[in-house]
């Protein structure tokens, strides 16, 4: 009888061992297509494991290879599934492998083993379309819908209004032309371009502070904006209202957001990544000059 119970217990334990499965991993990228320079992309890693097991990955910045480093956000979906999300972006175009770290998992008995996760590829395109024209800020179908709402009589009223405004503007210009001619600034009075300062001997936070301050100073000189008083989210609409192109607005916003993450979010970019930030700053004015 004892021998029979021993055999049955051994068979039961072996059955449990067969049913127990190693953790599995599923990786998704959102959005998978349509990424441009500076767009945020989420790499979602879902781990399927046994009940009682836990993912013990530290929630600190992780080097992800050719893209921006990111700290994982870990969520326990239920007792057998854990979701890990890395939110990252790239400031250069091309195809980049996102190098995901091995995932440490603590077993029921306290043992820790690592689950290897292979790299995933993301493709980052230019903010320009193939005809090198900036993408519109409004969806094409919405633009067409707005155009269809203009009936002929509305167009006629707008034309009369524009003619009236032009006539008044011409009369005012003729009156003020003599005084304006005497008040024209000389070349010595014109604001000089602000240099893009970035001392590579300083720590990343100070380099980003210098670069952001230089960019804001140059924007103030070029667009007559109180750029130093505007946040990264506020400066885009202000530039658009001042007449800046969509490409300039996008690059300025993404650059200042990246500098903020280093200054105030604790990110530690590599020297190469810091040089990319400066290249992005220089591209702001290259795009503006070529438009």
């Amino acid at each position: 009888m004892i021998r029979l119970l021993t055999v049955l217990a051994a068979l039961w334990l072996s059955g449990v061992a067969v049913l127990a499965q190693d953790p599995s991993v599923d990786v998704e990228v959102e959005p998978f297509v349509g990424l441009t320079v500076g767009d945020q992309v989420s790499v979602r890693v879902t781990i399927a494991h046994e009940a009682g097991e836990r993912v013990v990955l530290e929630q600190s910045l992780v080097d992800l290879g050719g893209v921006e480093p990111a700290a994982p956000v870990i969520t326990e979906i239920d007792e057998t599934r854990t979701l890990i999300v890395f939110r990252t972006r790239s400031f250069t175009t091309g195809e980049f492998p996102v190098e995901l770290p091995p995932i440490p998992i603590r077993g029921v008995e306290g043992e820790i083993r690592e689950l290897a996760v292979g790299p995933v590829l993301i493709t980052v395109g230019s903010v320009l379309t193939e005809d090198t024209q900036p993408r519109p800020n409004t969806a094409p179908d919405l633009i067409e819908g707005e155009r269809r709402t203009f009936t002929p009589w509305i167009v006629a009223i707008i034309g009369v209004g524009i003619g009236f405004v032009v006539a008044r503007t011409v009369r005012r210009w003729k009156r003020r032309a003599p005084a304006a001619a005497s008040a024209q600034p000389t070349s010595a009075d014109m604001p000089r371009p602000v240099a893009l300062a970035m001392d590579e001997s300083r720590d990343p936070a100070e380099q980003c502070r210098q670069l952001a301050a230089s960019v804001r100073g140059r924007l103030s000189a070029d667009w007559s904006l109180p750029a130093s008083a505007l946040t990264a989210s506020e400066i885009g609409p202000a530039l658009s209202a001042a007449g800046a192109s969509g490409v300039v607005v996008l690059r300025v916003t993404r650059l200042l957001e990246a500098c903020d993450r280093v200054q105030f979010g604790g990110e530690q970019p590599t020297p190469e990544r810091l040089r990319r930030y400066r290249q992005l700053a220089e591209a702001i004015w290259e795009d503006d000059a070529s438009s």
Side-chain angles (χ1 to χ4, degrees):
M1 185 66 180
I2 295 176
R3 288 183 178 179
L4 178 61
L5 291 174
T6 303
V7 171
L8 291 175
L11 291 174
W12 180 81
L13 290 174
S14 63
V16 172
V18 170
L19 292 175
Q21 297 179 354
D22 289 335
S24 62
V25 58
D26 180 58
V27 182
E28 295 179 328
V29 177
E30 296 180 354
F32 185 71
V33 295
L35 288 170
T36 59
V37 171
D39 287 344
Q40 179 175 277
V41 56
S42 295
V43 181
R44 301 168 59 87
V45 182
T46 303
I47 307 294
H49 50 75
E50 294 296 323
E53 295 184 329
R54 292 291 180 270
V55 172
V56 290
L57 181 65
E58 292 186 7
Q59 293 179 286
S60 56
L61 284 176
V62 177
D63 186 0
L64 299 176
V67 295
E68 293 285 287
V73 177
I74 303 174
T75 304
E76 293 184 0
I77 302 174
D78 52 43
E79 62 179 8
T80 61
R81 290 183 301 158
T82 300
L83 173 65
I84 307 171
V85 180
F86 297 90
R87 295 185 175 90
T88 182
R89 66 191 75 209
S90 172
F91 284 100
T92 55
T93 60
E95 189 174 67
F96 301 96
V98 180
E99 303 286 350
L100 298 171
I103 309 299
I105 299 176
R106 178 184 290 119
V108 179
E109 302 297 329
E111 75 283 2
I112 294 180
R113 62 188 186 280
E114 290 188 339
L115 177 64
V117 183
V120 293
L121 291 177
I122 64 170
T123 301
V124 181
S126 171
V127 295
L128 300 177
T129 56
E130 292 181 357
D131 60 358
T132 71
Q133 294 300 314
R135 292 178 179 174
N137 293 328
T138 311
D141 56 342
L142 183 57
I143 291 176
E144 292 302 322
E146 291 174 351
R147 288 174 180 170
R148 286 193 294 268
T149 62
F150 280 92
T151 57
W153 65 269
I154 294 178
V155 174
I157 292 175
I158 292 175
V160 172
I162 292 175
F164 176 74
V165 171
V166 169
R168 289 194 63 181
T169 302
V170 170
R171 285 198 299 269
R172 289 183 180 180
W173 178 80
K174 288 181 178 180
R175 292 173 185 172
R176 297 179 183 178
S182 61
Q184 286 296 323
T186 63
S187 59
D189 298 326
M190 296 294 288
R192 301 179 63 184
V194 180
L196 295 175
M198 198 170 182
D199 186 354
E200 295 186 2
S201 65
R202 308 298 293 272
D203 62 83
E206 176 60 19
Q207 290 189 54
C208 285
R209 187 199 67 77
Q210 292 176 350
L211 183 60
S214 298
V215 169
R216 292 176 189 276
R218 190 158 177 175
L219 292 173
S220 297
D222 290 354
W223 297 97
S224 300
L225 295 175
S228 59
L230 298 176
T231 65
S233 59
E234 294 170 340
I235 206 163
L239 277 171
S240 295
S245 68
V247 176
V248 170
V249 171
L250 183 62
R251 288 188 183 276
V252 167
T253 302
R254 297 283 164 75
L255 174 63
L256 294 181
E257 286 176 348
C259 288
D260 283 351
R261 291 196 302 275
V262 177
Q263 287 183 258
F264 311 114
E267 288 194 8
Q268 294 293 320
T270 62
E272 174 61 27
R273 214 172 295 277
L274 287 170
R275 283 191 287 272
R276 290 181 185 176
Y277 293 166
R278 179 162 187 163
Q279 292 170 359
L280 181 60
E282 293 169 347
I284 292 169
W285 281 271
E286 290 176 2
D287 288 341
D288 192 34
S290 61
S291 60

